[in-house]
């Protein structure tokens, strides 16, 4: 199973979060949901996890450094 990326650098945040999570999809979703709740004040709900799952990117699209930000859609 291909690994996936959840990339906090992609989204605007008060803390300019630089975290990138890479792993198997279920690992990334669990970690990203916990991170979103702990650091970014989201509620860890099924809806959040669905939104996060839609934002995953393939592992081989990873680019080091910084990237342009966009608003978090959820
Ligand atoms: Zn973050």
């Amino acid at each position: 199973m291909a690994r996936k990326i959840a990339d906090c650098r992609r989204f605007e945040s008060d803390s300019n979060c630089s975290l990138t999570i890479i792993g198997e999809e279920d690992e990334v979703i669990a970690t990203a949901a916990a991170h979103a709740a702990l650091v970014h004040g989201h509620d860890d709900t099924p809806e959040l996890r669905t939104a996060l799952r839609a934002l995953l990117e393939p592992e081989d699209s990873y680019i080091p450094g910084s990237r342009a930000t966009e608003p978090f859609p959820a």
Side-chain angles (χ1 to χ4, degrees), residues 26-60:
D26 287 349
E27 297 171 327
V28 172
I29 292 298
T31 304
H35 170 75
L38 181 69
V39 177
H40 297 296
H42 292 276
D43 291 325
D44 183 357
T45 60
E47 290 75 22
L48 176 70
R49 289 174 178 240
T50 298
L52 291 170
R53 204 173 287 275
L55 297 169
L56 294 180
E57 299 171 278
E59 179 183 20
D60 61 7

Side-chain angles (χ1 to χ4, degrees), residues 8-9 13 15 17-19 35-36 39-40:
C8 245
R9 299 173 304 166
S13 67
S15 56
C17 187
S18 70
L19 186 68
H35 170 75
V39 177
H40 297 296

